Amino acid sequence: MSTKKMRCGVAAVEALRAAGVTKVFGLMGSSTLEMYDALYDAKDIEYIGVRHENCGMHMADAYGRVTQTPGVFICGQAGPGSANMVLGLAQAKFAYSPVVAITGLASTEHLGRDAFQEIDQNTLFLPVTKRVMTVPRPKRIPEFILEAFRLANSGRRGPVVVNIPRDLFNHEIPVGWPMAAPASGRPPAADPASLAEISKLILAAKRPVIHAGAGIKWSRSSAKLAALATQLQIPVTSSAGHADILPVDFELHAGGVGPRGNPVASQLTREADLIIALGTRLGFNTTFYKYTDISADAKIIHIDVDPAALGRYFPAALAITADAGALIDGLAALMAPIAAGKAPWHARNEAYFKQRAALWAEREASGARSGTPMHPDVIYAEVRKAAPRNSIFTLDAGTTGFQATDQLPCYEAPALLTPLDCGMVGFSYSAAIGAKVGAPQRAAISLMGDGGFGMTMGEMTTAVASNIPAIGIVMDNGTWGSEIAYQRDFYQERYIGAHVHSPRFDEVMKLTGGNGYHPTAPGETADALRDALKAGKPAIIHVKVDPAATISFRKDALQKRA
């Protein structure tokens, strides 16, 4: 064994390097200073310092979704700093995003003594992560970090936290421990018998629909799905938050199902006699776990990489544990001889194409409205005109995300990053920064309300300091949009706490060192977006929108009062 030794902070950074890490988000603190000092010499790893741990987690989350490699966040401070990560970790868990968070912990001799900044971080993180690991000895720091990468990016992905007691960094360990990059297993493919059964069920159907979700994006199978849909002439609907599984202009892409979707797509799944659920859980935001937008009479073929997801919310006629992309390959080959033009669902498709065209005509008409404050549909229409085809869009939950999800010009997956079932406000702008770091060649455009942006506005300084030209479009209606809609629709306009006062965020961005725009009339948002893209600097577009355009989403949970 080598007699050479290295400090544990250096060993931790060498583990990151072995895992292929080139970008790290972090907020520095005294608990991990040895690791930070080692990063100073790691010129091949770019460090992006953030203003809040929660926002940094969102950046790592988005980076992981875009790159398919774990986003890394180094939390410098044990206790309060670590606790600030909790919501971001929960968000990543809901999204099944591969994230590795490395954080300090109180010294080993102080654990369990109510020491300064001591929190039971293991218990704190357990409900919101895929795994929590606490390093027991100095020499195991690299091993635990590499194991975190393997866990975060295998199977159904998720966030992993590595707690490192601060005193462990004060040691040296021998050089020569294994530094192999964590292996990634091959995704499972469907067996021939399952493929034959799928083919049989499709041929027996009269109104089949492919309903697809995140599994298509994780397997990077959008082109394969488009080819299969074209081959079989079966329309494709998307689960909530995944309207980017296929290009928005692909005629067989109906869009989202359910309350966050559109009526054309929802009609397809309501009337279907066969639903091929491909890489989706059929989760809450799509279905509310009810048969409102899913036919109770339809046979469901459920395909997911996680066997625990199969048939969990709706009974499956056929359940298959498989990677979405691998299954498409096998099914396309098996069904190649079928003449889809003679299929029983051909007439259904003709009606669908007309309905889809009418839906988009309505959207374009709504987006052409005049008057101020502008309707949100005007903003989405202008984004469709000005955004590059390879843009990545990030959204918050709430009324902005609810209205925008199925209207944005998504063409190249992954192109839409949302909070998904976590449903949090304050995600979008930080996510756009993380997405831009992960895909610098693509435009990263955040759309969010004024309330949500106020939660994360400090990260404007992150974008400027690290020269990350993400663009934020703040749609200012002066309210907490979903909540004021509930008070309007269910509580007789008894408004309390629902109004928001915000500064001109475009002016704040200018003070920070970026570009700011304040469109005041239709057409100006598109112009501002084009200019921001051309300038290549961090930018905020602050535009007033009509507060009366807010929409109630959770009609299932509230009852009108007399």
Side-chain angles (χ1 to χ4, degrees), residues 11 57-58 100-101 126-127 174 187 189 228 298 317 343 359 375 405 429 438 441 485 531 547 551 554:
M57 287 301 308
H58 295 330
V100 171
L126 277 176
L228 180 67
L359 172 67
H375 191 280
T405 317
Y429 183 63
Q441 76 283 6
D531 191 82
I551 298 175
R554 292 298 310 276

Side-chain angles (χ1 to χ4, degrees), residues 64-142:
R65 295 196 218 181
V66 168
T67 65
Q68 292 191 295
T69 60
V72 179
F73 183 76
I74 301 176
C75 178
Q77 195 62 54
S82 298
N84 279 345
M85 299 193 301
V86 169
L87 183 54
L89 288 167
Q91 166 58 60
K93 185 177 183 183
F94 271 102
Y96 303 106
S97 296
V99 169
V100 171
I102 300 171
T103 186
L105 195 65
S107 296
T108 50
E109 65 175 317
H110 295 154
L111 292 175
R113 292 182 171 181
D114 296 329
F116 177 66
Q117 294 186 328
E118 183 191 2
I119 293 175
D120 182 357
Q121 293 175 197
N122 189 75
T123 301
L124 181 69
F125 295 140
L126 277 176
V128 294
T129 59
K130 185 177 181 181
R131 182 76 63 85
V132 184
M133 303 188 294
T134 298
V135 180
R137 292 188 298 279
K139 69 178 183 179
R140 299 194 69 185
I141 288 175

Side-chain angles (χ1 to χ4, degrees), residues 506-561:
D506 58 304
E507 295 291 345
V508 178
M509 177 54 106
K510 289 177 184 178
L511 291 171
T512 302
N515 287 349
Y517 305 86
H518 186 54
T520 57
E524 293 182 3
T525 300
D527 291 340
L529 180 54
R530 292 187 187 101
D531 191 82
L533 290 162
K534 183 178 180 181
K537 293 179 63 177
I540 294 298
I541 301 170
H542 187 144
V543 55
K544 289 282 189 179
V545 296
D546 186 358
T550 57
I551 298 175
S552 297
F553 171 57
R554 292 298 310 276
K555 292 183 173 65
D556 65 310
L558 298 169
Q559 294 182 349
K560 287 189 180 293
R561 294 166 53 166

Side-chain angles (χ1 to χ4, degrees), residues 30-77:
S30 63
S31 299
T32 53
L33 275 176
E34 281 286 332
M35 194 171 180
Y36 270 84
D37 187 66
L39 279 170
Y40 180 88
D41 296 318
K43 305 306 181 186
D44 55 332
I45 299 177
E46 181 185 359
Y47 175 79
I48 297 110
V50 309
R51 298 301 295 268
H52 194 280
E53 291 87 352
N54 184 49
C55 294
M57 287 301 308
H58 295 330
M59 294 177 201
D61 176 344
Y63 181 93
R65 295 196 218 181
V66 168
T67 65
Q68 292 191 295
T69 60
V72 179
F73 183 76
I74 301 176
C75 178
Q77 195 62 54

Side-chain angles (χ1 to χ4, degrees), residues 463-535:
V464 172
S466 294
N467 192 28
I468 303 168
I471 298 172
I473 301 177
V474 181
M475 301 170 63
D476 180 0
N477 61 13
T479 70
W480 296 108
S482 294
E483 284 64 37
I484 202 167
Y486 295 143
Q487 290 179 343
R488 178 194 66 209
D489 297 341
F490 293 91
Y491 293 94
Q492 300 174 323
E493 301 182 8
R494 292 161 56 86
Y495 300 127
I496 179 171
H499 291 88
V500 176
H501 173 72
S502 299
R504 282 271 302 276
F505 293 119
D506 58 304
E507 295 291 345
V508 178
M509 177 54 106
K510 289 177 184 178
L511 291 171
T512 302
N515 287 349
Y517 305 86
H518 186 54
T520 57
E524 293 182 3
T525 300
D527 291 340
L529 180 54
R530 292 187 187 101
D531 191 82
L533 290 162
K534 183 178 180 181

